[in-house]
Amino acid sequence: MPIISIQNVSKFFGDFQALKNVSLDVALGERVVVCGPSGSGKSTLIRCINRLEAHEAGEILVDGTRLTDVPADLEKIRGAVGMVFQQFNLFPHLTVLENLCIGPRRVLGLTQAQAQERAMRYLERVQIPDQADKFPSQLSGGQQQRVAIARSLCMEPRILLFDEPTSALDPEMIAEVLEVMTELAQSGMTMIVVTHEMGFARRVADRMVFMDKGEIVEIGAPEDVFAAPKSKRFARFINQIL
Ligand code: ADP
Ligand code: MG
């Protein structure tokens, strides 16, 4: 059984249809990379998976729970599905350690000692335990994004969604974030990553999804879709970004 099942999902913003009949199943432990032009619906798709957006038609099941059935279980869904954003979204007035402890304390009910122990474990995992007492503004962009990844990991999610996690970073900081994401992928985390980092996609993705105009236009193993794109739109896209 897939851990994420998206069936014939449509999403409208007013009259504008951002997702058109999208279907995608993701298996436990699978790594899916989503690419496509700006405005093609990539963010909308992954935001529907943790119910940051509500879809209008079709079904999304996460770990067996149908998202339309469970407004009351939203915290459970958000706990199971972590999200890493382009702009990090750290609390600027809290230290790194406090940023990491707040979710486990408030949502999972951990004690301060438990939350701090867990936070330090995940800061070590992203290789910045020495930054625990700093504020986000005192860190580089790459370090801030690694804190954001550690913050998601502190909730011990079953699935991690990434929305262009390296797009806001200076070029020299992209590699350190991709390295952490690669390590996570190798550890067996189920991941959906919206990115245009095609080197990362080739190394890490089990499947590539190409979206255009609210539709999944192409899907397959990276070695297959890159070698022989089936659609003109994907071929053109690859040529533009490589
Ligand atoms: P992508 O992430 O692929 O760049 P998005 O999923 O952000 O694309 O957006 C898909 C389309 O939906 C775009 O045309 C965008 O303008 C529109 N859209 C996204 N969010 C909203 C919103 N909250 N209100 C109105 N339109 C939106
Ligand atoms: Mg987007």
Side-chain angles (χ1 to χ4, degrees):
M1 205 181 88
I3 189 159
I4 303 170
S5 178
I6 301 170
Q7 292 157 29
N8 301 314
V9 163
S10 290
K11 164 76 191 164
F12 293 83
F13 293 109
D15 289 340
F16 177 77
Q17 189 166 4
L19 295 177
K20 298 172 187 164
N21 228 26
V22 170
S23 296
L24 176 68
D25 281 351
V26 178
L28 186 66
E30 199 178 11
R31 283 78 44 123
V32 176
V33 166
V34 180
C35 65
S38 180
S40 56
K42 307 179 300 292
S43 295
T44 304
L45 177 64
I46 64 169
R47 289 166 65 86
C48 282
I49 296 171
N50 71 347
R51 205 107 179 124
L52 284 174
E53 299 283 0
H55 56 285
E56 275 89 35
E59 283 204 325
I60 302 179
L61 283 93
V62 174
D63 213 1
T65 306
R66 185 179 284 104
L67 294 196
T68 42
D69 286 351
V70 288
D73 272 3
L74 206 53
E75 278 205 335
K76 198 177 124 204
I77 298 285
R78 300 255 168 89
V81 187
M83 178 96 145
V84 175
F85 301 90
Q86 184 176 332
Q87 297 295 347
F88 328 135
N89 293 6
L90 299 170
F91 293 114
H93 60 292
L94 300 181
T95 66
V96 165
L97 192 66
E98 288 164 348
N99 265 281
L100 267 57
C101 288
I102 195 165
R105 293 265 322 191
R106 290 200 186 160
V107 180
L108 305 181
L110 266 56
T111 66
Q112 183 66 11
Q114 288 169 329
Q116 286 191 0
E117 184 276 323
R118 185 183 283 196
M120 288 312 299
R121 189 150 38 88
Y122 287 114
L123 279 180
E124 267 158 42
R125 181 107 181 250
V126 301
Q127 296 169 26
I128 38 173
D130 45 326
Q131 309 296 328
D133 296 322
K134 291 199 182 157
F135 288 92
S137 61
Q138 297 172 301
L139 305 183
S140 73
Q143 289 174 325
Q144 288 185 58
Q145 191 59 298
R146 287 190 280 154
V147 171
I149 293 170
R151 180 180 56 176
S152 284
L153 291 173
C154 280
M155 299 299 285
E156 307 207 320
R158 302 203 68 199
I159 301 160
L160 261 186
L161 309 174
F162 294 81
D163 195 355
E164 304 206 31
T166 60
S167 296
L169 299 178
D170 291 333
E172 71 271 21
M173 291 167 189
I174 292 175
E176 67 190 55
V177 171
L178 293 180
E179 190 186 312
V180 165
M181 292 168 60
T182 302
E183 189 271 319
L184 270 177
Q186 285 163 350
S187 78
M189 177 67 81
T190 306
M191 295 163 64
I192 303 182
V193 182
V194 176
T195 185
H196 292 158
E197 293 291 335
M198 290 299 126
F200 172 81
R202 281 174 194 266
R203 281 197 311 278
V204 168
D206 299 302
R207 279 190 300 161
M208 284 288 306
V209 169
F210 171 67
M211 293 186 70
D212 193 19
K213 300 192 170 79
E215 295 175 303
I216 292 181
V217 175
E218 190 127 357
I219 184 163
E223 56 271 27
D224 297 334
V225 295
F226 283 120
K230 289 193 195 72
S231 67
K232 282 211 174 75
R233 283 190 275 179
F234 185 48
R236 208 179 311 130
F237 179 79
I238 300 173
N239 278 332
Q240 277 166 1
I241 63 166
L242 291 187

